[in-house]
Amino acid sequence: MAGEVKKRVLSGIQPSGNLTIGNYLGALQQWVAEQDVYDCYFCVVDLHALTVPQDPAALRQKTREVAALYLAAGIDPDRSAVFIQSHVPAHTELSWLLTCLAPLGWLYRMTQFKDKSAKQQQDSVGAGLLNYPVLMAADILLYQAAAVPVGDDQRQHLEFTRDIAQRFNYQYGDTFTIPEAMIPKEGARIMGLDNPLGKMSKSEASEYHAVYLLDPPDVARKKIMRATTDSNRDIRFSSEPERAGVNNLLTIYQALTGQSREAIEASFESARGYGDLKKTVADAVVDRLTPLQARYAELMGESGYLDEILAEGAARAQAVADVTLATARERVGLLPAFAPVKG
């Protein structure tokens, strides 16, 4: 309908580790499709990466890398705002306002905090790790996002965002849109190639755990051909734990091709074994990554262009975020900044 206002979507990825085919299928591919339907804001969440120690030079390089991969994957800066989280100061200010409203009990119950803090000494756990969900909530609520593309593992964080928004709205009056989760039907949770019972991670050290978006074709093929499967021969989707490896490969193939499960299983009825499955999946992955990598190389070779896109995206994002922040500041009782006296 002409003149209809599009609902807004916000999402982002941390610039730590190497982006994987799981990040592409579970996030980037979906984001590209959303541009035709929603008013999209996609940020590189560099502040979130600081919850664990980072090498400063590496963080700067990875931040640019992730931004370029957004564009190479098909994010169109003419239709979507692409920006760096830390370039919009409103994120940290709103995060503090929400921190003062967030009960500690809510934060201590977050599964990600419990899992990560359990791996560290008690006195070495940073407050940033505990407050991670608050900053994520600020990211979302600043843009009055109606929907947030998230994986299954981020559902709890989105529920926290909804809870803190409702708490703020109840205490100070309607201020924030209550966001809904947007989870793709296929490819939402790609598992590790070496351990298909655990989600594919961009920070896993194992050489054969994941296909990275910047892996050369021969490396990508080798990783898929080494993927864990089982001793059966039939190629079909299955929720049985012992079939997790084959199911993961089929899930990757389905997310890349868009075919139905029935059509995919029928196409592999005459396969001679898992070798045929792995070769077919490897071909599909390489076919998708080849043009993405070519575009990425172009973008990284034109740093001025990338910087311009990020500056324009930050300006567009700040224009929206500052309006929300000003309302939140007024609602909690903060004085507006005074204009300098001329004379």
Side-chain angles (χ1 to χ4, degrees):
M1 183 182 296
E4 183 177 357
V5 177
K6 291 183 178 180
K7 291 183 178 180
R8 193 169 292 146
V9 162
L10 180 284
S11 198
I13 297 175
Q14 286 190 37
S16 56
N18 299 304
L19 294 196
T20 71
I21 193 68
N23 295 122
Y24 177 82
L25 297 176
L28 296 177
Q29 180 174 254
Q30 184 186 7
W31 296 1
V32 172
E34 289 161 6
Q35 297 178 109
D36 295 326
V37 182
Y38 297 96
D39 179 21
C40 295
Y41 289 73
F42 300 124
C43 58
V44 182
V45 287
D46 54 342
L47 294 173
H48 285 297
L50 297 178
T51 58
V52 296
Q54 298 287 341
D55 174 78
L59 178 60
R60 284 188 286 270
Q61 189 275 330
K62 283 293 182 182
T63 299
R64 296 179 61 80
E65 178 182 299
V66 172
L69 284 170
Y70 282 7
L71 301 178
I75 302 300
D76 181 358
D78 290 332
R79 292 186 289 165
S80 302
V82 179
F83 63 102
I84 309 302
Q85 179 191 29
S86 65
H87 291 180
V88 182
H91 286 254
T92 51
E93 185 168 353
L94 181 60
S95 179
W96 176 249
L97 299 185
L98 298 179
T99 294
C100 294
L101 199 63
L104 272 175
W106 291 9
L107 297 172
Y108 283 126
R109 284 196 296 269
M110 301 301 291
T111 300
Q112 188 176 85
F113 172 75
K114 289 191 290 187
D115 290 347
K116 291 187 175 181
S117 61
K119 300 175 183 177
Q120 304 178 33
Q121 294 292 333
Q122 182 67 32
D123 58 359
S124 68
V125 177
L129 185 60
L130 181 66
N131 288 327
Y132 177 101
V134 185
L135 179 56
M136 181 175 171
D139 298 337
I140 297 166
L141 299 177
L142 270 175
Y143 301 95
Q144 305 291 357
V148 181
V150 292
D152 289 339
D153 60 328
Q154 290 291 324
R155 276 183 176 272
Q156 189 184 36
H157 284 154
L158 185 60
E159 286 303 315
F160 175 90
T161 299
R162 289 170 53 85
D163 290 342
I164 199 70
Q166 290 167 345
R167 188 180 179 93
F168 191 103
N169 289 350
Y170 176 80
Q171 187 161 333
Y172 296 110
D174 286 344
T175 304
F176 300 119
T177 299
I178 309 301
E180 299 289 341
M182 180 189 299
I183 297 179
K185 294 180 180 179
E186 292 87 28
R189 192 171 178 84
I190 302 300
M191 314 305 280
L193 297 176
D194 58 346
N195 176 19
L197 295 177
K199 184 181 178 183
M200 184 177 287
S201 170
K202 56 189 174 72
S203 58
E204 178 63 45
S206 172
E207 179 181 2
Y208 296 102
H209 174 76
V211 172
Y212 300 131
L213 296 188
L214 297 179
D215 274 344
D218 60 330
V219 172
R221 289 183 187 279
K222 184 177 181 181
K223 289 180 176 181
I224 292 172
M225 296 306 293
R226 289 281 298 269
T228 298
T229 50
D230 54 60
S231 59
N232 292 292
R233 292 185 58 85
D234 58 319
I235 299 174
R236 58 180 175 81
F237 289 90
S238 174
S239 60
E240 300 170 17
E242 60 271 20
R243 306 302 309 278
V246 170
N247 189 75
N248 191 41
L249 291 172
L250 289 172
T251 298
I252 292 171
Y253 188 68
Q254 182 181 28
L256 285 169
T257 65
Q259 298 179 38
S260 68
R261 290 190 169 198
E262 293 76 16
I264 291 172
E265 289 178 345
S267 71
F268 284 110
E269 283 183 354
S270 59
R272 289 171 293 181
Y274 292 155
D276 286 355
L277 168 64
K278 291 178 178 181
K279 183 179 183 302
T280 301
V281 174
D283 287 343
V285 169
V286 170
D287 286 348
R288 183 63 60 89
L289 292 188
T290 297
L292 182 151
Q293 292 174 0
R295 179 57 179 149
Y296 170 82
E298 292 176 359
L299 290 163
M300 294 301 280
E302 303 174 2
S303 61
Y305 173 73
L306 181 60
D307 292 345
E308 181 181 340
I309 293 301
L310 294 175
E312 291 175 354
R316 177 176 164 185
Q318 185 167 332
V320 175
D322 283 354
V323 172
T324 302
L325 178 61
T327 300
R329 285 175 53 91
E330 187 276 330
R331 294 278 165 82
V332 302
L334 298 180
L335 279 175
F338 297 113
V341 178
K342 297 180 180 179

